[in-house]
């Protein structure tokens, strides 16, 4: 019987695919912890010669580096471990929320190297220019100059089309921001020409942070609801963030329920913006969040009203839970400061025990930043081995 041969072109494709796959597997381990060649060989089931070739290639790319450890007694052989190379590149994350932009500079090891906060009085073009200038100032530090900027990840408090990167028009933003669908990418790209620039909704990045480092690590189906000045969210389905056709999935604030005899969307009565407006009209004075919190803690009638909005949130989430059959619901945003009574009011609307997921507050600090940094690192490493 004649032996079948694989055309050289197909062999080349197969070898390239296997090389990328093995590179990715090695990096997936090293981004978690430094490992010796023996540990890597054992975990991946690769021969020493095959692994040596992979490690040599990654070292030549500058993606990984060696760590040499000496025994505490000073005797015996030195142990060589491999780790991702912190000097391979920088990741800049811009998280915009509540009229502030938090900027962090991290390395490929996900270590935070620098941070700054920029006050944003309005979501407009000038605010974007101010953020770009602040990033430039941070990166001018001497220690950053030898390290290339690989990724800029922008966490946007609005809807972002996952296919085109286009920002959806929203009344809270200056219309000029939407005159050009590529405005953000273009403006950042003018100064940071060699960096990849990504824009996505901030709560989508928060979900990624919760999945990797927070309460959703061992969960496959969940909802994350952010209740702050506005209401946003994200859904974890079968272990992945569900984006929908355009990337807009998770807009819980636009879902309707009956509230005080009227059919209203959540954002109109349950967001902090709506609550502050309600008490401003009632009390005849400007209301800030600290005032809202004081009213909740000291005024029984005000607390009752706020808890009634929580029950409205619960009714919407109960309907979503019946549809999606999730096992966990995470609440984030400053409503967490309303405490257990608020959470219980939300949870109390889950009437059918078949659809009664665990409802809890997020406890992860800076889930948005962690998720965005992790995304930037993953993309930089993937780009390096493609």
């Amino acid at each position: 019987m004649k032996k079948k041969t694989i055309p050289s072109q197909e062999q080349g494709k197969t070898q390239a695919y296997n090389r990328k796959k093995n590179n990715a597997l090695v990096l997936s381990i090293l981004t978690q912890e430094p490992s010796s060649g023996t540990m890597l060989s054992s975990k991946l089931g690769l021969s020493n010669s095959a692994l040596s070739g992979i490690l040599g290639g990654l070292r030549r790319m500058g993606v990984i580096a060696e760590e040499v450890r000496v025994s505490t007694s000073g005797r015996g052989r030195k142990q060589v471990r491999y780790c991702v190379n912190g000097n391979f590149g920088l990741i800049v994350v811009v998280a915009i929320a509540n009229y502030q932009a938090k900027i962090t500079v991290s390395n490929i090891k996900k270590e935070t190297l620098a941070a700054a906060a920029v006050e944003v009085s309005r979501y407009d073009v000038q605010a974007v220019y101010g953020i770009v200038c602040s990033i430039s100032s941070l990166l001018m530090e001497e220690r950053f100059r030898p390290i290339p900027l690989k990724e800029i990840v922008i966490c946007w408090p609005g809807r972002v089309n996952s296919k085109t990167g286009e920002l959806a028009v929203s009344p809270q933003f200056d219309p000029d921001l939407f005159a050009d669908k590529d405005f953000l990418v273009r403006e950042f790209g003018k100064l940071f020409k060699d960096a990849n620039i990504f824009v996505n909704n901030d709560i989508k990045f928060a979900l990624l942070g919760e999945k990797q480092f927070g309460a959703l690590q061992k969960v496959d189906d969940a909802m994350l609801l952010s209740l702050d000045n506005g209401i946003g969210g994200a859904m974890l389905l079968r272990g992945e963030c569900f984006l929908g056709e355009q990337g807009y999935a998770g807009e819980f604030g636009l879902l309707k329920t009956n509230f005080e005899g009227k059919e209203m969307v959540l954002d109109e009565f349950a967001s902090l913006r709506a609550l502050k407006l309600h008490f401003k009209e009632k009390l005849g004075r400007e209301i800030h969040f600290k005032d809202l919190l004081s009213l909740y803690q000291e005024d029984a009638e005000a607390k009752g009203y706020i808890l009634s909005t929580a029950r409205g949130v619960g009714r919407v989430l109960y309907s979503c839970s019946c549809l999606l059959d999730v096992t966990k619901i995470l609440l984030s945003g400053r409503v967490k400061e309303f405490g257990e009574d608020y959470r219980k009011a939300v949870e109390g609307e889950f009437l059918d025990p078949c659809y009664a997921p665990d409802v809890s507050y997020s406890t992860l600090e800076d889930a948005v930043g962690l998720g965005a940094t992790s995304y930037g690192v993953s993309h930089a490493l993937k780009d390096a081995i493609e």
Side-chain angles (χ1 to χ4, degrees), residues 93-95 100-105 112 114-119 134-135 137-138:
V93 169
V94 181
Q100 186 182 69
K102 294 180 180 178
I103 302 168
T104 56
V105 181
T112 300
V118 179
E119 296 302 319
S134 295
I135 295 172
S137 296
L138 278 178

Side-chain angles (χ1 to χ4, degrees), residues 236-284:
L236 183 73
L237 299 179
R238 296 188 177 181
E240 300 288 338
C241 179
F242 179 71
L243 297 174
E245 181 64 24
Q246 301 175 88
Y248 301 156
E251 288 295 330
F252 292 103
L254 300 180
L255 298 181
K256 291 183 177 182
T257 188
N258 186 283
F259 182 72
E260 294 192 332
K262 298 178 182 178
E263 189 177 40
M264 302 172 70
V265 300
L266 280 190
D267 204 65
E268 291 177 328
F269 68 86
S271 66
L272 295 185
R273 182 182 65 252
L275 288 173
K276 287 185 284 188
L277 181 60
H278 169 82
F279 287 106
K280 177 183 178 180
E281 293 175 349
K282 189 176 181 65
L283 301 175

Side-chain angles (χ1 to χ4, degrees), residues 6 16 20 46-47 59 103 133 182 191 215 227 245 250 344-345:
I6 301 174
K20 289 178 185 178
L46 295 171
S47 67
R59 285 185 62 199
I103 302 168
C133 289
D182 297 320
L191 192 58
L227 293 142
E245 181 64 24
K344 288 178 180 178

Side-chain angles (χ1 to χ4, degrees), residues 86-349:
N87 291 329
F88 175 70
L90 298 173
I91 311 295
V92 170
V93 169
V94 181
I96 303 168
N98 299 325
Y99 296 97
Q100 186 182 69
K102 294 180 180 178
I103 302 168
T104 56
V105 181
S106 305
N107 61 17
I108 214 73
K109 292 183 174 183
K110 303 178 186 177
E111 298 168 331
T112 300
L113 307 177
V118 179
E119 296 302 319
V120 178
S121 58
R122 293 186 67 217
Y123 292 138
D124 60 10
V125 172
Q126 291 303 315
V128 172
Y129 295 153
I131 293 168
V132 170
C133 289
S134 295
I135 295 172
S136 180
S137 296
L138 278 178
L139 297 181
M140 286 297 290
E141 292 185 28
E142 188 67 32
R143 58 185 171 139
F144 294 141
R145 292 185 183 181
I147 310 175
L149 174 61
K150 294 289 186 180
E151 319 285 332
I152 297 177
V153 184
I154 304 169
C155 311
W156 186 252
R159 282 173 285 174
V160 181
N161 189 306
S162 59
K163 293 182 178 179
T164 66
E166 184 177 359
L167 307 180
V169 177
S170 174
Q172 64 177 314
F173 303 115
D174 190 301
D176 288 345
L177 289 172
F178 310 102
D180 179 352
K181 68 178 183 180
D182 297 320
F183 173 76
L184 279 182
V185 173
R186 188 191 70 231
E187 291 305 317
F188 277 81
K190 284 179 180 177
L191 192 58
F192 309 110
K193 294 181 173 61
D194 297 325
N196 294 312
I197 300 166
F198 301 96
V199 186
N200 208 338
N201 175 262
D202 53 351
I203 311 304
K204 303 297 191 297
F205 285 122
L207 183 75
L208 179 59
E210 294 286 356
K211 179 60 178 170
Q212 294 198 11
F213 308 104
L216 302 182
Q217 290 182 72
K218 297 180 180 180
V219 178
D220 285 332
D221 299 284
M223 294 186 291
L224 172 62
L225 183 69
S226 174
L227 293 142
D228 211 284
N229 276 336
I231 296 178
M235 294 180 290
L236 183 73
L237 299 179
R238 296 188 177 181
E240 300 288 338
C241 179
F242 179 71
L243 297 174
E245 181 64 24
Q246 301 175 88
Y248 301 156
E251 288 295 330
F252 292 103
L254 300 180
L255 298 181
K256 291 183 177 182
T257 188
N258 186 283
F259 182 72
E260 294 192 332
K262 298 178 182 178
E263 189 177 40
M264 302 172 70
V265 300
L266 280 190
D267 204 65
E268 291 177 328
F269 68 86
S271 66
L272 295 185
R273 182 182 65 252
L275 288 173
K276 287 185 284 188
L277 181 60
H278 169 82
F279 287 106
K280 177 183 178 180
E281 293 175 349
K282 189 176 181 65
L283 301 175
R285 59 184 173 86
E286 199 67 37
I287 298 292
H288 301 286
F289 178 69
K290 62 180 182 179
D291 305 313
L292 201 58
L293 196 56
S294 295
L295 285 167
Y296 180 80
Q297 294 167 342
E298 299 166 8
D299 186 309
E301 184 180 347
K303 180 176 182 177
Y305 179 82
I306 292 172
L307 291 182
S308 71
T309 69
R311 288 190 286 274
V313 171
R315 288 192 293 276
V316 166
L317 291 180
Y318 174 62
S319 296
C320 292
S321 181
C322 291
L323 178 66
L324 299 173
D325 191 22
V326 299
T327 57
K328 192 170 186 66
I329 293 176
L330 271 184
L331 306 178
S332 68
R334 283 178 291 174
V335 296
K336 292 192 297 183
E337 296 190 42
F338 292 142
E340 274 297 286
D341 287 344
Y342 188 95
R343 186 196 65 79
K344 288 178 180 178
V346 172
E347 190 177 53
E349 294 300 311

